[in-house]
């Protein structure tokens, strides 16, 4: 299915919200209600649901369970994705714990670091391997997504190794610009740049 | 100056890259060099620098020190911004440490939590206050930016308190949709949604 990143983002948000909203007394939801909870227009919500092939009932709205299932069929892969956290420092461990707290189809199967106190042991319940084994273990564990939380100095080199080993998606926390071929989906979480952006736009208020 | 979020993002990235690149032997840089390092076009780079009033020298390129200074004059406020980390759990502490490691004009002046072991002590070198004092301390410390790393259940309520107390910008890690008035600059770092987005686009590869 040919959906835009924005649409996928919204589908993911609908699902999370609906999973929280799901209670025995709530089996249906109206598009305008969902729209209000996410600051969208009802038209937008209905269009998104039409794209994945579900239409609401005029009097009752959309069946919540059906919505959650259909969104899952659209955006998930059956077995989920295998994730690695590359860099098990403070940020890497915090992000690991954060993901584990949420219900997702993401399996964190490995961590990588060079710290002897972490390597070959378990960190936040994730087996941690030495960074020199990335190539072998990405293949062994069929890792297709990496979360990059290494020091900036090695980010480019490590990401090159990850990509060469078969990783297809990277969530990059390092605030280093990563070069990636077109078939790799890269998403940057550049905390410093985002703070500077916020800072600029609230200037003088 | 009327600059778009994208332009600010690029200016912030130029500066970070130039600060790392600055060495006695590098006093000038060409737009095509900078463009290559960030996957941009040289035209884009030159246009951005024209916007902030600096033009390069045909033979030598741009003076790096002048660039860094001018970008700073454009995007920084003189005294910097005062930041609070709201939620000093794993993620809050990791983000605090991350920011402190970088050179920025952001002063992390306070943390907020409800955990008795953190309240009224210092966490990652930041004084931590009870969440019930947000209103008082946002005013007292002139906090204009908040990083939201609370549990999802209280994110909306806490952000309402932050905004009411005078916070003008929020970097939201909670993956909860925050309602904010138009004069508040909100940026979402929704880890789960981003992973699902990555997952969708690498499906079947």
């Amino acid at each position: 299915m040919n959906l835009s990143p924005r649409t996928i983002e919204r589908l993911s948000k609908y699902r999370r919200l609906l999973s929280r909203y799901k209670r025995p007394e709530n089996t249906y939801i109206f598009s305008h209600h969902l729209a209000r909870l996410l600051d969208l227009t009802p038209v937008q919500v209905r269009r998104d649901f039409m794209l994945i092939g579900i239409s609401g009932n005029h009097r009752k709205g959309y069946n919540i369970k059906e919505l959650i299932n259909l969104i899952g069929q659209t955006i998930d892969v059956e077995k989920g994705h295998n994730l690695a956290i590359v860099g098990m420092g403070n940020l890497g461990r915090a992000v690991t714990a954060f993901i584990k707290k949420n219900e997702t189809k993401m399996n964190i199967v490995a961590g990588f670091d060079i710290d002897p106190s972490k390597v070959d042991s378990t960190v936040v319940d994730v087996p941690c391997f030495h960074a020199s084994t990335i190539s072998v273990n990405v293949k062994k564990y069929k890792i297709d997504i990496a979360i990059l939380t290494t020091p900036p100095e090695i980010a480019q080199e490590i990401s090159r190794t990850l990509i060469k080993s078969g990783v297809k998606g990277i969530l990059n926390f390092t605030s280093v610009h990563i070069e990636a071929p077109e078939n790799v989906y890269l998403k940057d979480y550049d905390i410093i740049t985002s703070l500077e952006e916020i800072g600029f736009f609230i200037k003088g208020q």
Side-chain angles (χ1 to χ4, degrees), chain A:
Chain A
M1 213 177 304
N2 211 345
L3 301 172
S4 76
R6 288 281 175 187
T7 308
I8 298 301
E9 205 181 301
R10 285 193 303 271
L11 289 175
S12 165
K13 287 185 179 177
Y14 296 142
R15 174 166 64 175
R16 197 122 29 84
L17 203 115
L18 291 169
S19 311
R20 284 183 192 143
Y21 185 78
K22 199 175 60 182
R23 293 204 191 83
E25 69 274 25
N26 302 329
T27 40
Y28 284 85
I29 191 166
F30 284 107
S31 55
H32 62 81
H33 185 177
L34 199 49
R36 188 154 35 85
L37 292 171
L38 287 167
D39 268 338
L40 300 167
T41 65
V43 173
Q44 177 76 75
V45 173
R46 288 195 292 268
R47 198 163 43 197
D48 288 338
F49 291 158
M50 242 159 62
L51 280 173
I52 61 168
I54 181 170
S55 50
N57 176 307
H58 259 296
R59 277 181 311 138
K60 298 199 279 183
Y62 292 85
N63 181 301
I64 292 177
K65 213 172 135 191
E66 205 187 338
L67 273 181
I68 292 176
N69 287 342
L70 255 168
I71 293 174
Q73 279 174 34
T74 308
I75 67 179
D76 295 335
V77 290
E78 218 175 305
K79 288 184 194 160
H81 288 280
N82 289 344
L83 242 73
I85 311 288
V86 187
M88 293 293 265
N90 292 325
L91 194 57
R93 295 198 306 276
V95 171
T96 307
F98 182 89
I99 297 168
K100 282 182 167 268
K101 251 188 285 175
N102 281 271
E103 220 183 289
T104 67
K105 280 271 201 174
M106 303 283 158
N107 322 309
I108 307 183
V109 294
F112 294 100
D113 210 292
I114 52 165
D115 179 348
S117 76
K118 291 171 194 150
V119 169
D120 294 329
S121 72
T122 298
V123 182
V124 208
D125 279 329
V126 172
C128 181
F129 304 104
H130 195 279
S132 63
T133 69
I134 287 179
S135 197
V136 179
N137 282 317
V138 162
K139 286 169 198 137
K140 183 172 168 193
Y141 292 99
K142 298 188 170 50
I143 293 164
D144 53 1
I145 301 180
I147 298 184
L148 199 64
T149 43
T150 64
E153 304 81 56
I154 55 166
Q156 182 63 63
E157 197 199 322
I158 293 276
S159 63
R160 225 169 301 164
T161 309
L162 287 166
I163 292 167
K164 235 192 279 172
S165 315
V167 163
K168 293 292 173 221
I170 297 177
L171 182 57
N172 173 24
F173 275 95
T174 68
S175 46
V176 168
H177 176 74
I178 298 294
E179 284 169 49
E182 270 192 23
N183 66 334
V184 171
Y185 199 87
L186 182 72
K187 187 122 188 152
D188 287 307
Y189 271 10
D190 187 336
I191 296 174
I192 305 300
T193 287
S194 294
L195 288 175
E196 292 187 339
E197 182 189 323
I198 293 173
F200 176 79
F201 285 102
I202 66 170
K203 230 179 169 178
Q205 276 199 31

